[in-house]
Amino acid sequence: MDPPSLPRLVGPALSALCARRLPTSSRPLAADSVFASQQPQHQQLSLGLACPAPSPGPRREEKEPGSLRSDAPESLLGSPASARPAAGSGARGAAAAAAAGVAAAAAAPGMYQSPRRLCSALLQRDAPGLRRPPGPPPRRRSPAPAAAPRPTSPRLLAAASAARGVARLCSRTARPMGSRLCSALTKTLDGSAASQHPEYLVAPDLEHLEPIDPKELLEECRAVLHTRPPRFQRGFVDLRADGPRSSHTPIRVMQWNILAQALGEGKDNFVQCPLEALKWEERKCLILEEILAYQPDILCLQEVDHYFDTFHPLLSRLGYQGTFFPKPWSPCLDVEHNNGPDGCALFFLHNRFKLVNSANIRLTAMALKTNQVAIAQTLECKESSRQFCIAVTHLKARTGWERFRSAQGCDLLQNLQNITQGAKIPLIVCGDFNAEPTEEVYRHFASSSLNLNSAYKLLSADGQSEPPYTTWKIRTSGECRNTLDYIWYSKHALSVRSALGLLTEEQIGPNRLPSFNYPSDHLSLVCDFSFNEEP
């Protein structure tokens, strides 16, 4: 289906649906009038929640358009401290605004990629009242493991209480019908809409927003997490060999499969992980806390399904420039109340690097386009004027797909061969390869003409062995401990100065990952790189 034709096809049905479900006073907001409107969608969708649409800097008082307004400071994490209906609106008006906002969001082609049009609707679906439909009780409800409490203060506790109040307000004013409608219409779009309409993959320019202090964001995260155990402590291992030292600041790269929210709650069946540990309002703070703790210059992520409403708005204000490339047929879209497709995301600090070239790659296997993607960008260091290429990917999962992964890996290597001009440009490749070191795709990378080495092998005693695991989980099918994540680098041009140590089995605990302590089933990998010689 051609996405621009979607409004004409679903308009009449959506109009009838709104007429049945909305109060009489709200029926003039029919779907046809919404489709014809040329006003920015973030104005129509506003429910008093923050979104990456144009707005003043953090913690300033402003009136939101629409039926709800906020008179309290804006939270950096995407929710104002408080919100209430405007005078004369009432509960019926708020419900009508919620349903009309969802109808407006559904009208946009490529709706799940458009941050300006769908931000408020996506944030509504973060509300606890909309996350899970009525049904059987959760499979497991257990309290968080006992541990020393995080540092708290009256200010932090007040912030956490305010955030919970906003979530309760959303659950009262927004209709579950809206989330189901958005999800259903998302699935009717052609899976290739992302590539056909690249304008929806470009996030809005956020330069007008004031920068935020990482310490302030970290404080807000800790306010939300104050009842959880403290985060795991990991140290860096110095890997510098004797010899000349680079005079330039090292390049810190983080690789991490952060676990898509829709998959964690709806598909992955982590039987030893309580559902409370997967709540997005808290899990996103654990992810941000991990990123803020290591302060990478370059961040390579997989399974990102909250790019536009969480990671891009926040990381942009921390000084990062980001790119997102979703999977054409993301399994997240099969989950009710999903937040759109998951994909790969690449961020870099724009005060350290200049973007020279960028390529979004849909991987092929056996001459067929696949559901897996990669991003490759050539960056120039502003300090040294040296160029290098950074790539992020996520290959096909599951046992039995080894040959398929091998073909995807060969296709990626060929693309990188062209981008780096036959290895003339140094290369770093981060990814969840879903492949053990014994697989063919691993051997392809290790023996490539690009002259690549795996950075985490250097943590072993002989420098030739991969870590025993980068993911450790328990599903209904059993316990899985595997090494699937890697950071490859051009060993002729780059050196690994240090690497972040992995969590021990004792730290991970008997219930494995994810958990109240750690937000993903994959461990983050972090390395510091330097160029081998001056140009």
Side-chain angles (χ1 to χ4, degrees):
M1 178 188 299
D2 182 17
S5 67
L6 179 62
R8 295 193 297 272
L9 295 179
V10 304
L14 191 56
S15 179
L17 176 64
C18 290
R20 290 199 306 270
R21 300 298 294 267
L22 298 183
T24 304
S25 60
S26 300
R27 287 183 185 175
L29 293 176
D32 292 337
S33 65
V34 174
F35 290 140
S37 174
Q38 298 300 315
Q39 297 299 318
Q41 294 292 328
H42 65 269
Q43 293 182 359
Q44 299 179 27
L45 299 178
S46 176
L47 288 178
L49 297 175
C51 78
S55 64
R59 304 191 179 282
R60 289 178 57 188
E61 182 173 301
E62 73 167 12
K63 294 183 179 180
E64 296 271 344
S67 62
L68 296 183
R69 63 189 290 269
S70 171
D71 295 315
E74 176 190 348
S75 166
L76 298 178
L77 294 175
S79 298
S82 65
R84 64 176 182 270
S89 62
R92 289 168 62 87
V102 171
M111 56 179 244
Y112 49 79
Q113 288 96 356
S114 175
R116 294 184 185 275
R117 300 184 181 185
L118 203 57
C119 176
S120 292
L122 297 183
L123 288 174
Q124 289 170 36
R125 281 184 276 169
D126 278 350
L130 301 182
R131 181 176 302 100
R132 301 183 188 90
R139 63 176 183 272
R140 176 184 175 88
R141 290 194 177 275
S142 62
R150 293 170 178 263
T152 59
S153 69
R155 179 188 174 197
L156 301 187
L157 294 174
S161 176
R164 289 193 294 271
V166 172
R168 287 194 296 271
L169 175 67
C170 293
S171 65
R172 290 197 301 268
T173 60
R175 294 190 176 193
M177 177 276 293
S179 180
R180 291 196 295 272
L181 178 61
C182 257
S183 178
L185 290 178
T186 296
K187 295 175 193 176
T188 67
L189 293 174
D190 186 345
S192 62
S195 58
Q196 294 175 4
H197 298 276
E199 64 273 19
Y200 294 110
L201 301 181
V202 179
D205 181 10
L206 299 182
E207 289 185 357
H208 63 280
L209 293 176
E210 296 179 10
I212 56 177
D213 185 349
K215 293 181 180 179
E216 187 177 357
L217 178 58
L218 186 59
E219 186 175 305
E220 288 206 26
C221 289
R222 287 175 174 167
V224 177
L225 299 170
H226 74 279
T227 60
R228 290 203 177 200
R231 61 180 296 275
F232 294 125
Q233 297 300 313
R234 300 163 65 185
F236 281 87
V237 179
D238 191 338
L239 299 172
R240 288 176 292 187
D242 295 335
R245 302 288 179 88
S246 173
S247 58
H248 298 295
T249 307
I251 300 169
R252 175 162 292 183
V253 177
M254 173 182 271
Q255 146 62 29
W256 198 11
N257 179 331
I258 61 173
L259 175 60
Q261 183 64 20
L263 300 183
E265 287 190 316
K267 278 201 165 190
D268 277 337
N269 298 316
F270 300 116
V271 294
Q272 294 299 318
C273 178
L275 286 177
E276 289 86 349
L278 296 173
K279 289 169 53 178
W280 179 242
E281 292 85 352
E282 297 180 11
R283 198 172 76 85
K284 70 179 177 183
C285 293
L286 278 176
I287 296 172
L288 291 168
E289 189 180 36
E290 181 93 346
I291 295 170
L292 291 167
Y294 301 121
Q295 301 178 17
D297 301 308
I298 299 172
L299 181 59
C300 297
L301 303 177
Q302 300 86 37
E303 292 198 20
V304 179
D305 63 347
H306 277 270
Y307 178 83
F308 290 116
D309 65 340
T310 300
F311 294 108
H312 184 263
L314 290 173
L315 293 177
S316 294
R317 296 171 69 183
L318 289 170
Y320 289 91
Q321 181 172 327
T323 301
F324 174 64
F325 193 30
K327 297 174 183 175
W329 295 95
S330 168
C332 292
L333 299 180
D334 297 330
V335 179
E336 192 172 13
H337 309 300
N338 66 77
N339 199 56
D342 74 303
C344 292
L346 196 158
F347 295 89
F348 64 87
L349 288 175
H350 58 71
N351 66 343
R352 285 211 63 189
F353 309 105
K354 180 177 72 174
L355 179 62
V356 177
N357 182 54
S358 183
N360 289 350
I361 303 167
R362 184 174 176 182
L363 299 177
T364 63
M366 307 161 191
L368 298 174
K369 290 185 177 181
T370 72
N371 194 38
Q372 280 64 49
V373 299
I375 303 171
Q377 296 186 336
T378 302
L379 305 179
E380 181 178 303
C381 295
K382 293 184 177 181
E383 180 185 9
S384 65
S385 298
R386 299 287 299 269
Q387 290 189 2
F388 66 99
C389 177
I390 178 75
V392 57
T393 193
H394 188 188
L395 301 188
K396 174 67 180 172
R398 307 290 182 230
T399 302
W401 292 84
E402 290 81 6
R403 291 185 61 192
F404 196 81
R405 278 192 290 274
S406 177
Q408 288 181 329
C410 289
D411 180 54
L412 178 57
L413 285 170
Q414 183 58 55
N415 276 278
L416 295 175
Q417 182 84 17
N418 297 334
I419 292 171
T420 62
Q421 302 171 22
K424 291 181 180 178
I425 299 175
L427 173 66
I428 300 173
V429 185
C430 297
D432 175 0
F433 282 66
N434 276 308
E436 290 276 8
T438 55
E439 277 198 32
E440 188 175 51
V441 64
Y442 181 94
R443 294 195 294 272
H444 285 324
F445 271 76
S447 60
S448 166
S449 61
L450 293 171
N451 199 21
L452 300 175
N453 190 33
S454 176
Y456 264 73
K457 290 198 316 185
L458 303 179
L459 288 180
S460 64
D462 59 0
Q464 299 298 317
S465 304
E466 294 288 353
Y469 52 84
T470 60
T471 178
W472 201 342
K473 67 202 82 174
I474 302 176
R475 289 176 168 154
T476 52
S477 56
E479 185 168 351
C480 305
R481 190 183 86 150
N482 305 102
T483 300
L484 306 177
D485 308 273
Y486 306 95
I487 300 180
W488 298 91
Y489 68 100
S490 300
K491 57 187 177 184
H492 64 281
L494 298 167
S495 296
V496 183
R497 297 178 61 167
S498 62
L500 183 65
L502 298 174
L503 294 177
T504 65
E505 180 177 356
E506 182 180 6
Q507 285 177 311
I508 291 174
N511 292 333
R512 309 313 183 199
L513 304 174
S515 66
F516 282 104
N517 304 74
Y518 201 76
S520 176
D521 55 326
H522 289 252
L523 299 177
S524 64
L525 308 181
V526 185
C527 290
D528 290 333
F529 290 97
S530 62
F531 290 99
N532 283 342
E533 58 185 32
E534 300 299 327

